Amino acid sequence: CSFVTACDAAFIQAERIGCIVTVGVGMKSELVSVAERHTLHVLDELHEDLTPHLDSTAELIGRNLDAGRSVVVHCECGISR
């Protein structure tokens, strides 16, 4: 999912997205508040260790999926997804 799509309120509502997970540093935008936001403040690079974030992020994703909501995971360059 692109950063632009993750900010589109109509898309978020139409797709029943309950949470948007952002991987990146300094990704500011006019983020809409129709979905829960979760940000992993790490660099979107191959060498970045995402392990410390996996359990909490997987739990968040699982809670949303169990409730029948979709989840969008996006990053700046498409490396960390």
Side-chain angles (χ1 to χ4, degrees), residues 1 5-6 8-20 34-35 64-65 67-72:
C1 176
T5 302
D8 183 336
F11 173 80
I12 292 166
Q13 290 175 323
E15 297 299 321
R16 295 185 36 86
I17 295 169
C19 182
I20 298 172
V34 295
N64 276 275
L65 294 177
R69 296 183 298 261
S70 299
V71 176
V72 169

Side-chain angles (χ1 to χ4, degrees), residues 1-66:
C1 176
S2 75
F3 186 64
V4 173
T5 302
C7 299
D8 183 336
F11 173 80
I12 292 166
Q13 290 175 323
E15 297 299 321
R16 295 185 36 86
I17 295 169
C19 182
I20 298 172
V21 178
T22 300
V23 181
V25 175
M27 294 178 66
K28 293 183 180 181
S29 71
E30 301 300 320
L31 296 176
V32 295
S33 61
V34 295
E36 179 180 0
R37 301 290 174 152
H38 180 72
T39 302
L40 282 64
H41 296 280
V42 297
L43 297 174
D44 187 22
E45 297 179 355
L46 290 175
H47 70 275
E48 190 69 44
D49 183 13
L50 299 177
T51 305
H53 305 280
L54 293 181
D55 287 341
S56 62
T57 304
E59 182 180 320
L60 175 69
I61 290 170
R63 279 197 319 266
N64 276 275
L65 294 177
D66 289 345

